[in-house]
Amino acid sequence: MNPDRALADEKAALRVEMIARRRLLPEKSRNAKSMAITDYVVSMQEVVNARHIHLYLSIPVLAEVCTTVIVDRLAAMEKELSVPVVRNGELVSALFRKGDTLLPTQFGAEPRGVSLVDESDLDVVLMPLVAFDKRGYRIGYGKGFYDRFLQRLLQQNISPCRIGLSFMLQQVDVVPANSWDEPLDGVVHEEGIIRFNS
Ligand SMILES: Nc1nc2c(c(=O)[nH]1)N(C=O)[C@@H](CNc1ccc(C(=O)N[C@@H](CCC(=O)O)C(=O)O)cc1)CN2
Ligand SMILES: Nc1ncnc2c1ncn2[C@@H]1O[C@H](COP(=O)(O)OP(=O)(O)OP(=O)(O)O)[C@@H](O)[C@H]1O
């Protein structure tokens, strides 16, 4: 089998296992962990200092770390917020204000009447993940949206701080990584903040 194909199969198997594992957490426990993660996130120096933060709107059926209260807390801190929307197969950043009307799409919720932001303003990106490892590699749902997003920003010399939000049970020793995988600067889970020094 060609090596890319083998890695893709490994990633796919890990994805299925990790999403299942996450879904096994009772909702109450998931919410408590999301609250702990929220407290860590808003305490981070990079977040405190940021003007503009890009973050995802969590998808409940996929049992992602819930970002609802993170949005409230960051809004109270008067941060400018943007959320991912998919346009022409590409992840771009749409302005988001607390209370904006959300519309369901195949890729999660997005604000009604999308207004794109100037991505050179992004200071921090808080992203979802399915699994992460000790080196800071992550996998998502296998569409490569975040990898291509981060690479596109890099090509424009835009390098926001990249933080993954995760439950601890999504940590593995080694995530199968391809050449295009963009590593994280840190992960926040329910027991604290991990920083990857590279
Ligand atoms: N909350 C969230 N938003 C995000 C991402 C993400 O991982 N999480 N993305 C990261 O790239 C992009 C969208 N990518 C996605 C890729 C696959 C699925 C997915 O598997 N969806 C389910 C259905 C969920 C539903 O019905 O609401 C599915 O198809 O089974 C969702 C988003 C941008 N927005
Ligand atoms: N920089 C890139 N340029 C072109 N294609 C890319 C790039 N990054 C990822 N891809 C494509 O995206 C597909 C999915 O990649 P991968 O399995 O690493 O996604 P993922 O990390 O799970 O997803 P995401 O980044 O959306 O969370 C791959 O088949 C790859 O071809």
Side-chain angles (χ1 to χ4, degrees):
M1 205 191 308
N2 85 52
D4 274 355
R5 176 67 199 283
L7 268 182
D9 288 352
E10 272 186 65
K11 283 186 173 184
L14 188 58
R15 223 168 252 132
V16 170
E17 185 194 331
M18 288 302 187
I19 295 175
R21 225 193 245 196
R22 191 163 74 177
R23 281 185 158 141
L24 283 177
L25 285 171
E27 195 180 331
K28 248 184 145 170
S29 143
R30 228 161 48 212
N31 287 340
K33 292 179 199 297
S34 293
M35 284 311 303
I37 291 165
T38 298
D39 285 337
Y40 284 119
V41 165
V42 300
S43 78
M44 291 179 81
Q45 211 45 243
E46 293 90 336
V47 168
V48 170
N49 292 341
R51 246 176 43 82
H52 187 147
I53 296 172
H54 173 111
L55 82 171
Y56 66 97
L57 298 168
S58 44
I59 303 172
V61 294
L62 293 174
E64 292 177 328
V65 170
C66 178
T67 57
T68 309
V69 181
I70 300 182
V71 166
D72 292 347
R73 301 274 297 269
L74 294 178
M77 292 161 79
E78 302 194 327
K79 303 300 182 186
E80 184 163 358
L81 302 179
S82 56
V83 296
V85 303
V86 177
R87 288 292 179 272
N88 304 315
E90 191 181 347
L91 195 165
V92 294
S93 308
L95 181 66
F96 183 70
R97 295 202 172 91
K98 189 185 161 201
D100 275 1
T101 303
L102 293 173
L103 302 175
T105 79
Q106 73 175 124
F107 295 124
E110 66 171 54
R112 188 175 61 188
V114 162
S115 149
L116 298 185
V117 304
D118 179 352
E119 291 179 333
S120 66
D121 287 343
L122 301 184
D123 298 307
V124 175
V125 176
L126 300 176
M127 59 192 117
L129 55 83
V130 170
F132 72 97
D133 71 16
K134 294 165 179 165
R135 304 170 299 173
Y137 282 100
R138 65 176 277 286
I139 60 169
Y141 298 130
K143 301 271 198 292
F145 284 129
Y146 278 98
D147 292 322
R148 280 178 278 126
F149 171 61
L150 295 170
Q151 194 180 75
R152 180 166 60 76
L153 295 183
L154 266 185
Q155 281 162 356
Q156 301 165 265
N157 281 315
I158 306 168
S159 39
C161 178
R162 306 161 169 197
I163 304 295
L165 306 187
S166 177
F167 300 115
M168 224 164 54
L169 57 72
Q170 291 166 258
Q171 176 164 352
V172 298
D173 263 350
V174 179
V175 156
N178 296 97
S179 53
W180 60 75
D181 283 313
E182 289 291 337
L184 297 163
D185 296 312
V187 162
V188 181
H189 59 52
E190 65 273 23
E191 309 246 311
I193 301 164
I194 305 175
R195 287 169 197 285
F196 306 105
N197 24 311
S198 47

